[in-house]
Amino acid sequence: MRLSRYFLPVLKENPSEAQIVSHRLMLRAGMIKQASAGIYSWLPLGFKVLRKIENIVHEEQQRAGHIPMLMPTLQSADLWRESGRYDDYGEEMLRIKDRHGRDMLYGPTNEELITDIFRSHVGSYKDLPLTLYHIQWKFRDEIRPRFGVMRGREFFMKDGYNFDLTKEDALHAYNRHLVSYLRTYERMGLQAIPMRADGGPIGGDYTHEFLVLAETGESEVFYDSAVTDLTFGDRAIDYDSVDQCAAVLEEFTSKYARTDETHDEALFAEVPEARQRTARGIEVGQIFYFGTKYSEAMGAKVQGPDGKTVPVHMGSHGIGVSRLLGAIIEASHDDKGIIWPEGVTPFHAGIVNLKQGDEEADAACEALYASLKALGLDPLYDDRNERAGGKFATMDLLGLPWRITVGPRGLKNGVVELTSRRTGDSEEMPPEAAVEKIAQIYAGIA
Amino acid sequence: MRLSRYFLPVLKENPSEAQIVSHRLMLRAGMIKQASAGIYSWLPLGFKVLRKIENIVHEEQQRAGHIPMLMPTLQSADLWRESGRYDDYGEEMLRIKDRHGRDMLYGPTNEELITDIFRSHVGSYKDLPLTLYHIQWKFRDEIRPRFGVMRGREFFMKDGYNFDLTKEDALHAYNRHLVSYLRTYERMGLQAIPMRADGGPIGGDYTHEFLVLAETGESEVFYDSAVTDLTFGDRAIDYDSVDQCAAVLEEFTSKYARTDETHDEALFAEVPEARQRTARGIEVGQIFYFGTKYSEAMGAKVQGPDGKTVPVHMGSHGIGVSRLLGAIIEASHDDKGIIWPEGVTPFHAGIVNLKQGDEEADAACEALYASLKALGLDPLYDDRNERAGGKFATMDLLGLPWRITVGPRGLKNGVVELTSRRTGDSEEMPPEAAVEKIAQIYAGIA
C-alpha cells in the first residue's frame, strides 16, 4: 500500500479520553475511532490487524479439528428463558423489541443458540465428539465502557462449544482447547499464561483463564516465575491424542498461577520464595467445562452405545479477538509507539523515501515495493512529500517491525538501511539484501 | 474434510416453510438453520460458502483500490438525526435503547457513520479520491421476512462509499464500482446485469442495480437479449483510467435493461423485437451516485485547490453478500440439488467411497484425499458407512462440481470415476489423472 492512497488518519496529539497506552496508541495510529460509548469503527489499519488475528484464530481452531460456523448477532429471548438465563442476566444484556413486539437480545454469548442447533440435529453418540465455534460480534452493555477495545460494548469474540458423550471425552476437548490456545497466542507474539479461574455460579474445577502480563491489566495475578519459562514452540501435536493433550495441560498448569479470584495464600507460600511473583494481567481467553448444565435444561441428549439417552457433556471456550489488539499493544510498545509482533503486523515492512521526488530515490523505492510484493509480502510505502523526521515518527508510531530507509546518499553507495523497530538497530545493505532478509524473517509466518 | 467428522445435518424431507428452491436447498443441505424469523445461523457448509463470497468481494474491492475497514453494527441515533433519516426511516429500522436510555439502532446502512468518520479526519482535496468499504451485518426489520437468506432481517452486506472533489471524479468512482462488480459476480459464476434503477427520493440518473435472472426473482425485468451476450472475462483493466472504466460502463449499460421501476415502454419498443425479453430478476447489488446530500447535511467538506471549502461528492455501492448464496442457488441447481460454480463451491471435489471398510477402496480414497490436499485443494470425503445410493444423493444435494467415485471394481482396473455435477458426465481414469484434472480446473480459481 502506498501511504498517499491509504486512509491513515494519524493524530499528532494524545487524545484526552484515552487512559491506557493501547487505547491512546490505537487512536493516534488511526486504527479506531469511537462511534459511540464503547463502540468503535475499525479504521483500515485497525481492521487489517483485526482480520489477521481473526485468521490466526480460525487456522488454529481448525487445526485442532474444530468446525467453523456462524451464529447471528440477534437472538430470540425464548431460548434464554429455557435455560433460565434471561432473567439471571442483568442489565449487561441488551434487550430489544422488534416491530412485532417480540423480545430479542443482542447475544453476549451463545450457549443457548448452539445447544438448540445441536439438539435439533444430533441424536446419536456416533456423531460425537463435536466442537463447533464461531467468531462473531457480541454486545455487553457495560455500565462504564473504557480502555478502548479492551472493554468495549460491541466486541468481536471467538466462542466454541464442545459436545461429548462423557465427562472424560469432554475433558479431552478441554485439554485440546488449551493446547490450541497456547499455539494461537504464541503466533501473535504473546505469552498468555493459563491460570486457574473461578467457575462462578456453575462452579467446577475445570476452567482456566489465559492472561497476558501487563502493567495495565485489570486482574492481579500470582504465579511461580517458572511458568513464564514455558513455551509451546513449534512442537508437533496430535490433537486426537488424549495423552499428548493431557501432557501439555499438565506441563502448563501444574505450576502455581492464579488470579486474585482464585488465589490461595497457603498454596502460593509453597512456591520457592525466589520464584513467587505478583503482577497484573489482561484476560484474553477462557476455557470452561460445565458438564450438563445446558444440555439438561434444554434437552440436548444423545443415545449412547448402550441405547440409553443421556444429556451431552459440554464446555465453552472463548478468545477475545478485538480485545487482543489492545492486549498485544499493552505488551509490546515503547514511548514512540506500537511494536507489532511479526505474526500480526498490519504491514510486513515500511519503506521510507527520504527524498520524495528524487528520481533515483523514487525508483529505488518503487523497485523495493515491487520486489516485496512479488514475494507475497505486504509493504507500506511512505511516498508522501514530508520531512524525514515526520516519516520516521509515523513509522515508529505504526510499529511495523521492519523499516527500509531509502535516500540519495545511501543509494550513491548502493545501499539502503534496514531498521528493526524492536531493537532500533540499523544495518546498511544493498536493496536486494534487505528484501531477502525480510523474506527470510517472514518465511513460515506471513 | 472427512464427512464422518463434519457437522452436516442433511434433511431428507423438504422443509415445509421454504417457498423457493434456494431456501429449500440451503435447509436440506444443512447450510442454514433459522434462529428466529428472518435470522439464520450459518451451519458449517453455509458459512464456508459465505466466507468464500466475502473473500471474493474483498479481493475485487481491493483490486479496484477501495480500502477495507469495519464499522460497528450498532449506531447512535444522533448521527441519523443530523442527516434527517432517523425520522424518515420507518419501522424497518430496529431502534434500541441502551441501559442508560440512549437511542441506538442496528445499522441498516452506513452513510451517516462513514460521513462522520470522513469529516472528522479529512479536510483537504489532497486526500481525495477516497473509497472506503466494509462488509458487516446489517438489520432491516422486514415485516414479513421470507425466502430464507434472500430476504432475511439480519443480513451480510458490503457497502462502500466514495468521496470525491467533483461530480466528474465521483462518476469515475461510480464507473470503477460498476467494473469491479462485473468482475465480482463473474468470479462467482453469476451473470448479473446492470439495470438502470430508480434513484428514489434523492433522484438522479446515476444508479444501477445488478440483477441475476431467475424465475423466482422479486423484480420483473425488461431487456435487450444482447446484454446477456456480454461478459467481462479476464480482460485487464486499469482502475485509475477514467476512459477504460467509462468504456466498460458504456458497453454494459447502453443496451436496454431495466426493472419494472424504471421500465419505459416507448424505449423498450425501439429494441429489435426478436431481442426484447421479459423475465424476473434477483437484485444482488446496487451502485449509486448521490452527490452532496450527506456531505451538505453533515458538513463533510474539503478545501479545494483554489482554497475554497466545498462539500464532497459521494456515492454508495452495495453488494448483498448473504443474499448472493440464495441468488447463486436460484440460478444454478437442478431437481437433485445445488450445482455450485467452481468459484464459490464449499469443497472443490467430493470423494465417494463405494465400499467403506474395503481395504483397497479405503486406501485409494485416503490417497486421493491426501493428493488433493497436497495441491492446496479442499476435498470432502464421504467416509461414512452408507449405501452408495445415499452417498450419491447427498453429493448431488450438496452440489460439489466434481465427484470422484472409488470402488473395488474400478480399482481392479486401476481406475476411478470422475463425474461432473453440472453435466452428469462421467469418465473413468487412473486416480492420479483425476487429481490432475481437478487441479487443472481450479488453477487460477481456488
Side-chain angles (χ1 to χ4, degrees), chain A residues 5 33 42 51 54 67 70 73-74 98-100 106 120 141 143 153-154 240, chain B residues 5 33 42 51 54 70 73-74 98-100 106 120 141 143 153-154 240:
Chain A
R5 302 195 69 164
K33 179 182 188 307
W42 296 78
R51 192 86 171 163
E54 181 191 6
I67 303 175
L70 189 64
T73 62
L74 296 197
D98 73 7
R99 69 189 296 174
H100 298 295
Y106 200 122
S120 303
D141 203 356
I143 191 159
R153 293 198 292 169
E154 186 169 325
D240 287 336
Chain B
R5 302 196 68 162
K33 178 180 189 306
W42 296 78
R51 191 85 173 167
E54 181 191 5
L70 189 65
T73 61
L74 295 197
D98 72 6
R99 69 189 294 173
H100 298 296
Y106 199 121
S120 304
D141 203 357
I143 190 159
R153 295 198 293 169
E154 186 169 327
D240 287 335

mmCIF file of all heavy atoms in Angstrom, chain A residues 5 33 42 51 54 67 70 73-74 98-100 106 120 141 143 153-154 240, chain B residues 5 33 42 51 54 70 73-74 98-100 106 120 141 143 153-154 240:
data_model
loop_
_atom_site.group_PDB
_atom_site.id
_atom_site.type_symbol
_atom_site.label_atom_id
_atom_site.label_comp_id
_atom_site.label_asym_id
_atom_site.label_seq_id
_atom_site.Cartn_x
_atom_site.Cartn_y
_atom_site.Cartn_z
ATOM 1 N N ARG A 5 -2.215 6.824 -0.824
ATOM 2 C CA ARG A 5 -3.532 6.360 -1.250
ATOM 3 C C ARG A 5 -4.281 5.647 -0.134
ATOM 4 O O ARG A 5 -5.351 5.078 -0.354
ATOM 5 C CB ARG A 5 -3.391 5.428 -2.457
ATOM 6 C CG ARG A 5 -2.680 6.093 -3.628
ATOM 7 C CD ARG A 5 -2.857 5.329 -4.900
ATOM 8 N NE ARG A 5 -4.235 5.413 -5.365
ATOM 9 C CZ ARG A 5 -4.622 5.102 -6.606
ATOM 10 N NH1 ARG A 5 -3.732 4.713 -7.490
ATOM 11 N NH2 ARG A 5 -5.888 5.166 -6.958
ATOM 12 N N LYS A 33 -11.841 4.538 15.686
ATOM 13 C CA LYS A 33 -12.495 5.793 16.034
ATOM 14 C C LYS A 33 -13.759 5.433 16.797
ATOM 15 O O LYS A 33 -14.526 4.557 16.368
ATOM 16 C CB LYS A 33 -12.861 6.574 14.773
ATOM 17 C CG LYS A 33 -13.576 7.894 15.076
ATOM 18 C CD LYS A 33 -13.967 8.643 13.816
ATOM 19 C CE LYS A 33 -14.490 10.034 14.122
ATOM 20 N NZ LYS A 33 -15.586 10.094 15.110
ATOM 21 N N TRP A 42 -13.543 0.398 13.098
ATOM 22 C CA TRP A 42 -12.188 -0.075 12.867
ATOM 23 C C TRP A 42 -11.704 0.551 11.570
ATOM 24 O O TRP A 42 -12.141 0.162 10.484
ATOM 25 C CB TRP A 42 -12.171 -1.597 12.804
ATOM 26 C CG TRP A 42 -12.575 -2.199 14.118
ATOM 27 C CD1 TRP A 42 -13.849 -2.316 14.618
ATOM 28 C CD2 TRP A 42 -11.699 -2.693 15.140
ATOM 29 N NE1 TRP A 42 -13.814 -2.859 15.881
ATOM 30 C CE2 TRP A 42 -12.518 -3.110 16.222
ATOM 31 C CE3 TRP A 42 -10.316 -2.829 15.242
ATOM 32 C CZ2 TRP A 42 -11.973 -3.649 17.387
ATOM 33 C CZ3 TRP A 42 -9.799 -3.386 16.397
ATOM 34 C CH2 TRP A 42 -10.617 -3.782 17.454
ATOM 35 N N ARG A 51 -8.355 -8.494 11.333
ATOM 36 C CA ARG A 51 -8.546 -9.598 10.392
ATOM 37 C C ARG A 51 -7.404 -10.619 10.498
ATOM 38 O O ARG A 51 -7.633 -11.815 10.384
ATOM 39 C CB ARG A 51 -8.614 -9.002 8.981
ATOM 40 C CG ARG A 51 -9.080 -9.948 7.921
ATOM 41 C CD ARG A 51 -10.594 -9.987 7.797
ATOM 42 N NE ARG A 51 -10.997 -10.740 6.622
ATOM 43 C CZ ARG A 51 -12.211 -11.219 6.432
ATOM 44 N NH1 ARG A 51 -13.164 -11.009 7.323
ATOM 45 N NH2 ARG A 51 -12.517 -11.900 5.347
ATOM 46 N N GLU A 54 -8.104 -12.582 13.589
ATOM 47 C CA GLU A 54 -9.232 -13.479 13.301
ATOM 48 C C GLU A 54 -8.749 -14.697 12.513
ATOM 49 O O GLU A 54 -9.126 -15.835 12.806
ATOM 50 C CB GLU A 54 -10.308 -12.717 12.509
ATOM 51 C CG GLU A 54 -11.528 -13.558 12.178
ATOM 52 C CD GLU A 54 -12.469 -12.882 11.171
ATOM 53 O OE1 GLU A 54 -12.120 -11.798 10.643
ATOM 54 O OE2 GLU A 54 -13.542 -13.440 10.911
ATOM 55 N N ILE A 67 -14.925 -27.006 14.168
ATOM 56 C CA ILE A 67 -15.615 -26.706 12.910
ATOM 57 C C ILE A 67 -16.222 -25.303 12.947
ATOM 58 O O ILE A 67 -17.028 -24.999 13.835
ATOM 59 C CB ILE A 67 -16.704 -27.764 12.634
ATOM 60 C CG1 ILE A 67 -16.058 -29.154 12.599
ATOM 61 C CG2 ILE A 67 -17.414 -27.476 11.324
ATOM 62 C CD1 ILE A 67 -17.062 -30.277 12.453
ATOM 63 N N LEU A 70 -21.364 -19.882 11.881
ATOM 64 C CA LEU A 70 -21.619 -18.505 12.295
ATOM 65 C C LEU A 70 -23.047 -18.363 12.779
ATOM 66 O O LEU A 70 -23.988 -18.645 12.044
ATOM 67 C CB LEU A 70 -21.380 -17.546 11.114
ATOM 68 C CG LEU A 70 -21.405 -16.060 11.474
ATOM 69 C CD1 LEU A 70 -20.285 -15.689 12.425
ATOM 70 C CD2 LEU A 70 -21.301 -15.216 10.208
ATOM 71 N N THR A 73 -26.085 -12.223 15.325
ATOM 72 C CA THR A 73 -25.854 -11.360 16.492
ATOM 73 C C THR A 73 -27.116 -11.262 17.348
ATOM 74 O O THR A 73 -27.029 -11.212 18.566
ATOM 75 C CB THR A 73 -25.443 -9.936 16.073
ATOM 76 O OG1 THR A 73 -26.496 -9.337 15.325
ATOM 77 C CG2 THR A 73 -24.173 -9.960 15.229
ATOM 78 N N LEU A 74 -28.281 -11.229 16.702
ATOM 79 C CA LEU A 74 -29.524 -11.084 17.469
ATOM 80 C C LEU A 74 -30.155 -12.447 17.713
ATOM 81 O O LEU A 74 -30.177 -13.303 16.835
ATOM 82 C CB LEU A 74 -30.516 -10.176 16.741
ATOM 83 C CG LEU A 74 -30.091 -8.718 16.548
ATOM 84 C CD1 LEU A 74 -31.314 -7.865 16.201
ATOM 85 C CD2 LEU A 74 -29.392 -8.142 17.767
ATOM 86 N N ASP A 98 -38.606 -6.153 18.655
ATOM 87 C CA ASP A 98 -38.711 -5.895 17.213
ATOM 88 C C ASP A 98 -40.061 -5.251 16.903
ATOM 89 O O ASP A 98 -40.843 -4.954 17.821
ATOM 90 C CB ASP A 98 -38.439 -7.167 16.399
ATOM 91 C CG ASP A 98 -39.564 -8.180 16.474
ATOM 92 O OD1 ASP A 98 -40.638 -7.866 17.052
ATOM 93 O OD2 ASP A 98 -39.388 -9.284 15.946
ATOM 94 N N ARG A 99 -40.336 -5.020 15.615
ATOM 95 C CA ARG A 99 -41.545 -4.261 15.257
ATOM 96 C C ARG A 99 -42.831 -4.968 15.649
ATOM 97 O O ARG A 99 -43.887 -4.343 15.739
ATOM 98 C CB ARG A 99 -41.541 -3.942 13.764
ATOM 99 C CG ARG A 99 -41.724 -5.148 12.884
ATOM 100 C CD ARG A 99 -41.491 -4.826 11.428
ATOM 101 N NE ARG A 99 -42.454 -3.880 10.890
ATOM 102 C CZ ARG A 99 -42.377 -3.363 9.669
ATOM 103 N NH1 ARG A 99 -41.362 -3.688 8.894
ATOM 104 N NH2 ARG A 99 -43.286 -2.536 9.222
ATOM 105 N N HIS A 100 -42.743 -6.295 15.844
ATOM 106 C CA HIS A 100 -43.928 -7.027 16.279
ATOM 107 C C HIS A 100 -43.994 -7.140 17.804
ATOM 108 O O HIS A 100 -44.845 -7.851 18.335
ATOM 109 C CB HIS A 100 -43.924 -8.428 15.670
ATOM 110 C CG HIS A 100 -43.984 -8.425 14.169
ATOM 111 N ND1 HIS A 100 -45.074 -7.953 13.475
ATOM 112 C CD2 HIS A 100 -43.092 -8.814 13.235
ATOM 113 C CE1 HIS A 100 -44.848 -8.058 12.163
ATOM 114 N NE2 HIS A 100 -43.638 -8.574 11.995
ATOM 115 N N TYR A 106 -29.267 -8.849 21.916
ATOM 116 C CA TYR A 106 -28.000 -8.898 21.184
ATOM 117 C C TYR A 106 -27.117 -9.873 21.962
ATOM 118 O O TYR A 106 -26.782 -9.605 23.127
ATOM 119 C CB TYR A 106 -27.369 -7.512 21.130
ATOM 120 C CG TYR A 106 -26.326 -7.321 20.032
ATOM 121 C CD1 TYR A 106 -26.465 -6.330 19.079
ATOM 122 C CD2 TYR A 106 -25.202 -8.132 19.971
ATOM 123 C CE1 TYR A 106 -25.512 -6.137 18.077
ATOM 124 C CE2 TYR A 106 -24.248 -7.959 18.968
ATOM 125 C CZ TYR A 106 -24.406 -6.958 18.030
ATOM 126 O OH TYR A 106 -23.450 -6.786 17.048
ATOM 127 N N SER A 120 -31.406 -29.994 17.738
ATOM 128 C CA SER A 120 -32.266 -30.148 16.562
ATOM 129 C C SER A 120 -31.720 -31.179 15.589
ATOM 130 O O SER A 120 -32.454 -31.704 14.763
ATOM 131 C CB SER A 120 -32.369 -28.823 15.797
ATOM 132 O OG SER A 120 -32.845 -27.816 16.631
ATOM 133 N N ASP A 141 -23.627 -4.620 27.572
ATOM 134 C CA ASP A 141 -23.897 -3.212 27.848
ATOM 135 C C ASP A 141 -23.206 -2.792 29.143
ATOM 136 O O ASP A 141 -23.861 -2.506 30.154
ATOM 137 C CB ASP A 141 -25.408 -2.983 27.901
ATOM 138 C CG ASP A 141 -25.773 -1.523 27.617
ATOM 139 O OD1 ASP A 141 -24.850 -0.707 27.458
ATOM 140 O OD2 ASP A 141 -26.976 -1.221 27.566
ATOM 141 N N ILE A 143 -21.649 -0.811 32.021
ATOM 142 C CA ILE A 143 -22.138 0.468 32.541
ATOM 143 C C ILE A 143 -21.126 1.584 32.279
ATOM 144 O O ILE A 143 -21.502 2.703 31.966
ATOM 145 C CB ILE A 143 -22.495 0.359 34.050
ATOM 146 C CG1 ILE A 143 -23.248 1.612 34.503
ATOM 147 C CG2 ILE A 143 -21.280 0.111 34.927
ATOM 148 C CD1 ILE A 143 -24.060 1.408 35.756
ATOM 149 N N ARG A 153 -18.284 -2.236 24.380
ATOM 150 C CA ARG A 153 -19.602 -2.855 24.496
ATOM 151 C C ARG A 153 -19.827 -3.817 23.323
ATOM 152 O O ARG A 153 -20.267 -4.937 23.507
ATOM 153 C CB ARG A 153 -20.686 -1.771 24.517
ATOM 154 C CG ARG A 153 -20.595 -0.908 25.789
ATOM 155 C CD ARG A 153 -21.885 -0.148 26.025
ATOM 156 N NE ARG A 153 -22.126 0.885 25.015
ATOM 157 C CZ ARG A 153 -23.278 1.539 24.874
ATOM 158 N NH1 ARG A 153 -24.304 1.252 25.652
ATOM 159 N NH2 ARG A 153 -23.407 2.469 23.954
ATOM 160 N N GLU A 154 -19.527 -3.365 22.111
ATOM 161 C CA GLU A 154 -19.625 -4.267 20.950
ATOM 162 C C GLU A 154 -18.232 -4.830 20.730
ATOM 163 O O GLU A 154 -17.283 -4.070 20.488
ATOM 164 C CB GLU A 154 -20.124 -3.479 19.724
ATOM 165 C CG GLU A 154 -20.396 -4.375 18.523
ATOM 166 C CD GLU A 154 -21.149 -3.658 17.389
ATOM 167 O OE1 GLU A 154 -22.012 -2.803 17.678
ATOM 168 O OE2 GLU A 154 -20.860 -3.963 16.216
ATOM 169 N N ASP A 240 -5.885 -35.448 18.362
ATOM 170 C CA ASP A 240 -6.753 -36.573 18.726
ATOM 171 C C ASP A 240 -6.167 -37.390 19.881
ATOM 172 O O ASP A 240 -6.852 -38.249 20.428
ATOM 173 C CB ASP A 240 -6.945 -37.493 17.519
ATOM 174 C CG ASP A 240 -7.856 -36.862 16.475
ATOM 175 O OD1 ASP A 240 -8.667 -35.992 16.845
ATOM 176 O OD2 ASP A 240 -7.744 -37.245 15.291
ATOM 177 N N ARG B 5 -16.477 -36.577 10.295
ATOM 178 C CA ARG B 5 -16.067 -35.654 11.349
ATOM 179 C C ARG B 5 -16.653 -34.256 11.147
ATOM 180 O O ARG B 5 -16.319 -33.325 11.874
ATOM 181 C CB ARG B 5 -14.540 -35.563 11.406
ATOM 182 C CG ARG B 5 -13.899 -36.925 11.636
ATOM 183 C CD ARG B 5 -12.471 -36.790 12.062
ATOM 184 N NE ARG B 5 -12.369 -36.198 13.391
ATOM 185 C CZ ARG B 5 -11.279 -36.270 14.154
ATOM 186 N NH1 ARG B 5 -10.221 -36.908 13.739
ATOM 187 N NH2 ARG B 5 -11.236 -35.702 15.330
ATOM 188 N N LYS B 33 -29.802 -22.700 9.467
ATOM 189 C CA LYS B 33 -30.925 -23.068 10.334
ATOM 190 C C LYS B 33 -31.523 -21.762 10.841
ATOM 191 O O LYS B 33 -30.798 -20.882 11.289
ATOM 192 C CB LYS B 33 -30.434 -23.904 11.512
ATOM 193 C CG LYS B 33 -31.564 -24.271 12.477
ATOM 194 C CD LYS B 33 -31.074 -25.098 13.646
ATOM 195 C CE LYS B 33 -32.215 -25.649 14.483
ATOM 196 N NZ LYS B 33 -33.178 -24.643 14.963
ATOM 197 N N TRP B 42 -25.625 -19.809 10.335
ATOM 198 C CA TRP B 42 -24.941 -20.378 9.175
ATOM 199 C C TRP B 42 -24.197 -21.613 9.650
ATOM 200 O O TRP B 42 -23.181 -21.505 10.340
ATOM 201 C CB TRP B 42 -23.991 -19.331 8.580
ATOM 202 C CG TRP B 42 -24.757 -18.151 8.068
ATOM 203 C CD1 TRP B 42 -25.289 -17.136 8.808
ATOM 204 C CD2 TRP B 42 -25.132 -17.893 6.713
ATOM 205 N NE1 TRP B 42 -25.971 -16.261 7.993
ATOM 206 C CE2 TRP B 42 -25.887 -16.699 6.696
ATOM 207 C CE3 TRP B 42 -24.895 -18.554 5.495
ATOM 208 C CZ2 TRP B 42 -26.410 -16.147 5.519
ATOM 209 C CZ3 TRP B 42 -25.408 -18.007 4.334
ATOM 210 C CH2 TRP B 42 -26.160 -16.830 4.351
ATOM 211 N N ARG B 51 -18.164 -17.307 3.477
ATOM 212 C CA ARG B 51 -16.800 -16.789 3.625
ATOM 213 C C ARG B 51 -16.099 -16.689 2.265
ATOM 214 O O ARG B 51 -15.342 -15.752 2.020
ATOM 215 C CB ARG B 51 -16.047 -17.730 4.564
ATOM 216 C CG ARG B 51 -14.713 -17.230 5.045
ATOM 217 C CD ARG B 51 -14.840 -16.337 6.265
ATOM 218 N NE ARG B 51 -13.521 -16.007 6.808
ATOM 219 C CZ ARG B 51 -13.297 -15.071 7.707
ATOM 220 N NH1 ARG B 51 -14.297 -14.344 8.169
ATOM 221 N NH2 ARG B 51 -12.095 -14.831 8.149
ATOM 222 N N GLU B 54 -17.517 -13.651 0.603
ATOM 223 C CA GLU B 54 -16.947 -12.477 1.277
ATOM 224 C C GLU B 54 -15.524 -12.224 0.779
ATOM 225 O O GLU B 54 -15.150 -11.084 0.482
ATOM 226 C CB GLU B 54 -16.939 -12.702 2.796
ATOM 227 C CG GLU B 54 -16.384 -11.527 3.589
ATOM 228 C CD GLU B 54 -16.127 -11.844 5.064
ATOM 229 O OE1 GLU B 54 -16.294 -13.014 5.478
ATOM 230 O OE2 GLU B 54 -15.762 -10.919 5.794
ATOM 231 N N LEU B 70 -14.041 -1.436 8.992
ATOM 232 C CA LEU B 70 -15.215 -2.091 9.567
ATOM 233 C C LEU B 70 -15.911 -1.155 10.528
ATOM 234 O O LEU B 70 -15.320 -0.692 11.495
ATOM 235 C CB LEU B 70 -14.800 -3.379 10.295
ATOM 236 C CG LEU B 70 -15.948 -4.265 10.756
ATOM 237 C CD1 LEU B 70 -16.742 -4.819 9.585
ATOM 238 C CD2 LEU B 70 -15.416 -5.424 11.590
ATOM 239 N N THR B 73 -22.027 -2.682 14.224
ATOM 240 C CA THR B 73 -23.419 -2.962 13.858
ATOM 241 C C THR B 73 -24.361 -1.948 14.519
ATOM 242 O O THR B 73 -25.343 -1.550 13.919
ATOM 243 C CB THR B 73 -23.851 -4.382 14.296
ATOM 244 O OG1 THR B 73 -23.754 -4.481 15.717
ATOM 245 C CG2 THR B 73 -22.978 -5.444 13.652
ATOM 246 N N LEU B 74 -24.064 -1.561 15.751
ATOM 247 C CA LEU B 74 -24.955 -0.625 16.448
ATOM 248 C C LEU B 74 -24.450 0.808 16.289
ATOM 249 O O LEU B 74 -23.261 1.074 16.364
ATOM 250 C CB LEU B 74 -25.059 -0.974 17.934
ATOM 251 C CG LEU B 74 -25.708 -2.312 18.268
ATOM 252 C CD1 LEU B 74 -26.132 -2.344 19.736
ATOM 253 C CD2 LEU B 74 -26.906 -2.647 17.382
ATOM 254 N N ASP B 98 -30.258 1.697 25.086
ATOM 255 C CA ASP B 98 -29.288 1.007 25.933
ATOM 256 C C ASP B 98 -29.636 1.223 27.399
ATOM 257 O O ASP B 98 -30.659 1.847 27.718
ATOM 258 C CB ASP B 98 -27.845 1.413 25.585
ATOM 259 C CG ASP B 98 -27.499 2.822 26.036
ATOM 260 O OD1 ASP B 98 -28.317 3.469 26.724
ATOM 261 O OD2 ASP B 98 -26.398 3.285 25.695
ATOM 262 N N ARG B 99 -28.801 0.717 28.312
ATOM 263 C CA ARG B 99 -29.154 0.733 29.734
ATOM 264 C C ARG B 99 -29.253 2.143 30.289
ATOM 265 O O ARG B 99 -29.866 2.360 31.332
ATOM 266 C CB ARG B 99 -28.154 -0.087 30.534
ATOM 267 C CG ARG B 99 -26.771 0.522 30.602
ATOM 268 C CD ARG B 99 -25.768 -0.444 31.209
ATOM 269 N NE ARG B 99 -26.051 -0.725 32.615
ATOM 270 C CZ ARG B 99 -25.399 -1.649 33.323
ATOM 271 N NH1 ARG B 99 -24.444 -2.367 32.731
ATOM 272 N NH2 ARG B 99 -25.677 -1.864 34.573
ATOM 273 N N HIS B 100 -28.613 3.097 29.595
ATOM 274 C CA HIS B 100 -28.729 4.486 30.039
ATOM 275 C C HIS B 100 -29.885 5.210 29.347
ATOM 276 O O HIS B 100 -30.028 6.417 29.484
ATOM 277 C CB HIS B 100 -27.426 5.240 29.763
ATOM 278 C CG HIS B 100 -26.247 4.674 30.503
ATOM 279 N ND1 HIS B 100 -26.158 4.684 31.872
ATOM 280 C CD2 HIS B 100 -25.116 4.061 30.062
ATOM 281 C CE1 HIS B 100 -25.016 4.099 32.252
ATOM 282 N NE2 HIS B 100 -24.362 3.711 31.171
ATOM 283 N N TYR B 106 -29.769 -0.570 15.097
ATOM 284 C CA TYR B 106 -28.949 -1.570 14.404
ATOM 285 C C TYR B 106 -28.850 -1.088 12.967
ATOM 286 O O TYR B 106 -29.861 -0.996 12.268
ATOM 287 C CB TYR B 106 -29.627 -2.934 14.473
ATOM 288 C CG TYR B 106 -28.696 -4.113 14.219
ATOM 289 C CD1 TYR B 106 -28.526 -5.103 15.179
ATOM 290 C CD2 TYR B 106 -27.995 -4.247 13.021
ATOM 291 C CE1 TYR B 106 -27.688 -6.199 14.968
ATOM 292 C CE2 TYR B 106 -27.156 -5.324 12.800
ATOM 293 C CZ TYR B 106 -27.007 -6.298 13.768
ATOM 294 O OH TYR B 106 -26.178 -7.381 13.555
ATOM 295 N N SER B 120 -14.402 13.935 10.269
ATOM 296 C CA SER B 120 -13.520 14.064 11.429
ATOM 297 C C SER B 120 -12.055 14.068 11.034
ATOM 298 O O SER B 120 -11.212 14.540 11.793
ATOM 299 C CB SER B 120 -13.716 12.883 12.392
ATOM 300 O OG SER B 120 -15.052 12.781 12.779
ATOM 301 N N ASP B 141 -35.800 -4.591 9.726
ATOM 302 C CA ASP B 141 -36.890 -5.315 10.370
ATOM 303 C C ASP B 141 -38.054 -5.475 9.401
ATOM 304 O O ASP B 141 -39.117 -4.886 9.573
ATOM 305 C CB ASP B 141 -37.311 -4.562 11.640
ATOM 306 C CG ASP B 141 -38.002 -5.482 12.640
ATOM 307 O OD1 ASP B 141 -38.202 -6.667 12.312
ATOM 308 O OD2 ASP B 141 -38.341 -5.010 13.747
ATOM 309 N N ILE B 143 -41.254 -6.649 7.605
ATOM 310 C CA ILE B 143 -42.493 -7.045 8.277
ATOM 311 C C ILE B 143 -42.780 -8.532 8.056
ATOM 312 O O ILE B 143 -43.238 -9.221 8.958
ATOM 313 C CB ILE B 143 -43.679 -6.153 7.840
ATOM 314 C CG1 ILE B 143 -44.901 -6.427 8.729
ATOM 315 C CG2 ILE B 143 -44.033 -6.351 6.367
ATOM 316 C CD1 ILE B 143 -45.899 -5.295 8.717
ATOM 317 N N ARG B 153 -33.797 -10.674 7.891
ATOM 318 C CA ARG B 153 -33.741 -9.421 8.639
ATOM 319 C C ARG B 153 -32.287 -9.077 8.968
ATOM 320 O O ARG B 153 -31.849 -7.965 8.783
ATOM 321 C CB ARG B 153 -34.579 -9.546 9.922
ATOM 322 C CG ARG B 153 -36.081 -9.720 9.610
ATOM 323 C CD ARG B 153 -36.936 -9.404 10.827
ATOM 324 N NE ARG B 153 -36.749 -10.377 11.899
ATOM 325 C CZ ARG B 153 -37.210 -10.211 13.142
ATOM 326 N NH1 ARG B 153 -37.865 -9.104 13.467
ATOM 327 N NH2 ARG B 153 -37.018 -11.146 14.053
ATOM 328 N N GLU B 154 -31.540 -10.055 9.462
ATOM 329 C CA GLU B 154 -30.106 -9.826 9.709
ATOM 330 C C GLU B 154 -29.367 -10.336 8.484
ATOM 331 O O GLU B 154 -29.468 -11.520 8.144
ATOM 332 C CB GLU B 154 -29.670 -10.564 10.983
ATOM 333 C CG GLU B 154 -28.242 -10.270 11.389
ATOM 334 C CD GLU B 154 -27.884 -10.777 12.792
ATOM 335 O OE1 GLU B 154 -28.764 -10.788 13.689
ATOM 336 O OE2 GLU B 154 -26.730 -11.180 12.995
ATOM 337 N N ASP B 240 -7.548 3.054 -12.447
ATOM 338 C CA ASP B 240 -7.308 4.501 -12.384
ATOM 339 C C ASP B 240 -7.651 5.193 -13.697
ATOM 340 O O ASP B 240 -7.705 6.423 -13.757
ATOM 341 C CB ASP B 240 -5.839 4.787 -12.047
ATOM 342 C CG ASP B 240 -5.535 4.470 -10.593
ATOM 343 O OD1 ASP B 240 -6.477 4.500 -9.771
ATOM 344 O OD2 ASP B 240 -4.362 4.181 -10.293
#
